[in-house]
Amino acid sequence: MSWIILFIAGLLEVVWAIGLKYTHGFSRLTPSIITIVAMVASMVLLAHAMKTLPAGTAYAVWTGIGAVGAAIMGIVLLGESASLARIASLCLIIVGILGLKFSTH
């Protein structure tokens, strides 16, 4: 169950990371509220997952999900580069996340 909670926390990290772009420096109310709620919820879920998962593993997986998700959403929503090198680098992060998941007891 902790892994599912951690995955959801990582998805919420993607929401707030991309949400920051839409807040325009927290000057737009609705995106700012969504971003802040996602930040808090993501942290709470991460803390809950860390009750049973190793801290280093949980944090690395959380940030990895956030980094990969934010990069993909940047490509899809914001027109950021989808170069081969960038996609390959994202794949390496995914391999690292999976490695941490499957090497944790």
Side-chain angles (χ1 to χ4, degrees):
M1 187 62 164
S2 293
W3 284 104
I4 294 168
I5 291 169
L6 182 60
F7 182 73
I8 294 168
L11 293 178
L12 286 168
E13 186 186 5
V14 175
V15 171
W16 69 256
I18 294 299
L20 283 173
K21 182 76 169 176
Y22 290 99
T23 68
H24 291 271
F26 290 101
S27 64
R28 297 176 67 206
L29 183 60
T30 301
S32 296
I33 291 170
I34 292 167
T35 299
I36 291 167
V37 168
M39 282 179 177
V40 172
S42 181
M43 290 286 182
V44 167
L45 291 175
L46 173 62
H48 185 70
M50 282 187 171
K51 288 180 182 179
T52 56
L53 296 175
T57 299
Y59 184 74
V61 169
W62 179 71
T63 58
I65 292 168
V68 170
I72 290 170
M73 295 310 291
I75 292 167
V76 172
L77 296 176
L78 305 172
E80 296 176 0
S81 168
S83 68
L84 181 59
R86 190 166 188 203
I87 299 301
S89 297
L90 292 173
C91 289
L92 290 172
I93 295 171
I94 293 168
V95 169
I97 292 168
L98 292 173
L100 287 169
K101 198 276 186 233
F102 291 119
S103 67
T104 300
H105 303 286

